[in-house]
Amino acid sequence: MSAVKSDAPRELWTPDPEQASQSQLAAFRSWLRDSHGVEVGDSYDDLWRWSVDEPARFWGAVAEYFDVRFHQRAGQALGDDSMPGAQWFPGATLNYAEHSLAGPAGADDLAVIFVREDGLEERLTYGELRQAVAAARAGLRRLGVRRGDRVVALAPNCPQSLVAFLATASLGAVWSSCSPDFGARAVADRFVQIEPTVLITVDGYHYGGRRFDIRSTVDGLRAQLPTLRATVLVPYLEADAQLAGAVPWSELVADTSEELAFEPVPFDHPLWVLYSSGTTGLPKGIVHGHGGIVLEHLKVLALHSDMRQGERFFWFTTTGWMMWNYLISGLMVGATIVLYDGSPAHPDLGTLWRLAERLGISYFGTSAPYVQSCLKEGLRPGDQLDLSGLRAIGSTGAPLSPEGFDWIMDAVGGHIQICSVSGGTDLCTAFVGAAPEVPVWQGEISCRMLGAAVAAYDELGNELVDEVGELVIVKPMPSMPVFFWNDPSGERLRDAYYDTYPGIWRHGDWIRVTSRGSCVIYGRSDSTLNRGGVRMGTSEFYRVVEGFDDVLDSLVIDTSGASSPDGELLCFLVLAPGASLPEVEPALRAALRAELSPRHVPDRFFAVSDVPRTLNGKKCEVPVKKILAGVAPDRAVSAEALRNPDALGVFVQLAASRA
């Protein structure tokens, strides 16, 4: 791809030197010097380069610095360093749950604040959480759960989900969860693969001011899970809710006499199974290990997020998104995690900002689309609310636009560090993000994370600086997948990440790494706009189009390909009430011509009622491109993997008319 002008954009946030010197990152650097004689200079870039040049020393230092609770220690931090197949801390044993429940926080420190959109609220201290996990652990043992068994949950972001997960992990069993708003087939496509022994479910959930009973979905699911030994019902809508043949949650946690214990497991023992989006075929079961997640999440939460004991950590998420797994790891650093269940727009878009004020949230995590929605709505939460205690806002799920950066600084608070991050389910972390001593530049992700050897590559595998290329990771990381479920040969895992550059992880995004070390993500590389030889990520296009007040959402598809090199560029718009395509289109064409290039002005615009999105909210660019190329809809995308499958109808009709 072509070079991008490298002049630094406007600096929106500058680290306070005194605060930066007191950060956990600064303490880690000083410890490296004093304890290990590692001289890495005073700049973040110096520390990052050492961390990726010396991965074994770096990750060994992380384990030592955070006093990782090994039951059996490894002789070395990194054995085989090949990708895939790197062997981290061979011979070591530990348990993730022990780090969450036996960490720095005291028994009386607040561990969890739970808020449901209808006003239900619950708080748990660390002592109460430990007691609840011990009781749930005893209950799972009575149900026959042992090391290696799978426990699955169709449950919301609530304390029972957290308790069940930690109890599962403490036994060395394997966890997997879906949000209760997932469709029946979407849940089955995920859980059937891993053959669970216990299903934990709720009777229903709240969303957008409505109640949804899911017990019929649960009955259908259980019929497809012949390995189930038991179902546990959490009464979430009704206190007296029942489900035929299910064990009540109260019975599961009835025995409070057993002490909390932790099964020591190998470093790479499966902790949980996450899933790819499943837009084509069955979702891939991505397995992460206990040790890799412990190390990675301690690093990213303590060193990069500067999360401290007693701080209140919030991320808007469901149990079907990896950000839930990321959020609950806040317990490992002694934070108070805030679990919210409900719609972020009920009764209005200000509900989460009011939550931040009321609970004194320190670190507020959300998605770029939510920020964009607040911007479009004209919200100014910083004017109406006291958000002085809010020090950082995390954003992920899509590239945060420069206008989104500006809105946060202007409408929420100029004192706030914007932590735009990118990573993925694949590693269950962010590999580019923020750090306490690195500035925030408008429209850019501040840095590559420690231990993450991220680079931009051209087609030939040459590294690029200040040019857009394929996002690659050139050195192993501990939280890379241990394996894919039902992939004994490793072929599916190799095909997913290593088919383009042998031995190098190709993530599937376009990235530009600047000479300052900051990064810009341009969208998926497999949905690139390639017009007249000029490639462009879709995020650049959306930034222009969705900057118009009359455009609520959009989808751009480049139909060119191997069989149709001169295809069309098509733009689909969800228009605001009262807006019409004939009125909006001329201004859009002029803006795209001026801000991108004449090549990137669509051949045609279409008004649609909705943009198809995955269950995790990502736009379905590649599946729609396949449908428009004539691929049958059921081969292009699994409807059960979509939040709004009916939105595909207009594209199917268009494909038929083009045939």
Side-chain angles (χ1 to χ4, degrees), residues 514-539:
T514 75
S515 55
R516 288 171 280 109
S518 59
C519 305
V520 180
I521 302 288
Y522 292 89
R524 297 295 295 171
S525 57
D526 50 11
S527 58
T528 304
L529 310 179
N530 188 354
R531 310 303 296 168
V534 179
R535 296 181 179 181
M536 185 172 293
T538 53
S539 68

Side-chain angles (χ1 to χ4, degrees), residues 17 36 45 47 54 78 141 157 179 222 226 265 270 296 341 357 362 424 483 556 570 585 615 618:
H36 292 272
D45 191 63
L47 182 58
E54 301 278 357
L78 180 59
R141 282 174 55 85
N157 184 16
S179 176
R222 290 196 291 178
V265 295
E296 174 58 38
D341 180 38
E357 178 193 47
S362 317
F483 55 85
V556 62
L570 308 178
E585 183 176 332
L615 291 168
K618 296 185 183 296

Side-chain angles (χ1 to χ4, degrees), residues 385-596:
L385 305 170
D386 180 6
L387 299 177
S388 57
L390 182 58
R391 64 172 179 84
I393 290 179
S395 172
T396 191
L400 182 62
S401 69
E403 294 77 13
F405 278 79
D406 288 341
W407 178 83
I408 291 173
M409 299 303 292
D410 180 54
V412 185
H415 65 285
I416 293 171
Q417 181 184 14
I418 301 173
C419 302
S420 179
V421 304
S422 185
T425 302
D426 317 77
L427 291 89
C428 199
T429 192
F431 41 69
V432 291
E437 58 190 38
V438 182
V440 174
W441 294 278
Q442 182 197 42
E444 294 186 351
I445 296 172
S446 294
C447 61
R448 292 170 283 188
M449 304 296 237
L450 296 176
V454 171
Y457 269 20
D458 66 13
E459 294 89 341
L460 300 177
N462 300 309
E463 186 171 353
L464 304 171
V465 177
D466 284 321
E467 295 186 46
V468 181
E470 289 275 4
L471 191 161
V472 298
I473 304 176
V474 303
K475 297 282 184 72
M477 294 176 63
S479 68
M480 285 176 170
V482 175
F483 55 85
F484 283 176
W485 203 266
N486 291 332
D487 181 30
S489 70
E491 180 180 358
R492 294 171 67 208
L493 186 144
R494 289 190 297 271
D495 288 347
Y497 309 117
Y498 301 100
D499 62 339
T500 302
Y501 308 104
I504 300 293
W505 175 292
R506 172 186 171 272
H507 196 65
D509 283 342
W510 288 123
I511 187 173
R512 174 169 61 94
V513 180
T514 75
S515 55
R516 288 171 280 109
S518 59
C519 305
V520 180
I521 302 288
Y522 292 89
R524 297 295 295 171
S525 57
D526 50 11
S527 58
T528 304
L529 310 179
N530 188 354
R531 310 303 296 168
V534 179
R535 296 181 179 181
M536 185 172 293
T538 53
S539 68
E540 297 177 88
F541 187 94
Y542 296 137
R543 175 193 168 192
V544 176
V545 171
E546 294 172 17
F548 282 72
D549 292 338
D550 287 334
V551 178
L552 300 181
D553 204 357
S554 65
L555 184 74
V556 62
I557 304 295
D558 181 357
T559 66
S560 61
S563 60
S564 178
D566 299 319
E568 293 182 296
L569 189 64
L570 308 178
C571 180
F572 302 89
L573 305 172
V574 180
L575 297 174
S580 70
L581 188 58
E583 295 173 345
V584 174
E585 183 176 332
L588 286 174
R589 287 184 175 276
L592 289 164
R593 179 180 294 272
E595 297 187 42
L596 298 184

Side-chain angles (χ1 to χ4, degrees), residues 251-274:
E251 181 178 322
L252 180 81
V253 298
D255 183 0
T256 59
S257 63
E258 287 201 26
E259 294 292 325
L260 183 58
F262 305 99
E263 174 76 12
V265 295
F267 190 88
D268 60 357
H269 182 80
L271 171 63
W272 54 49
V273 182
L274 306 182

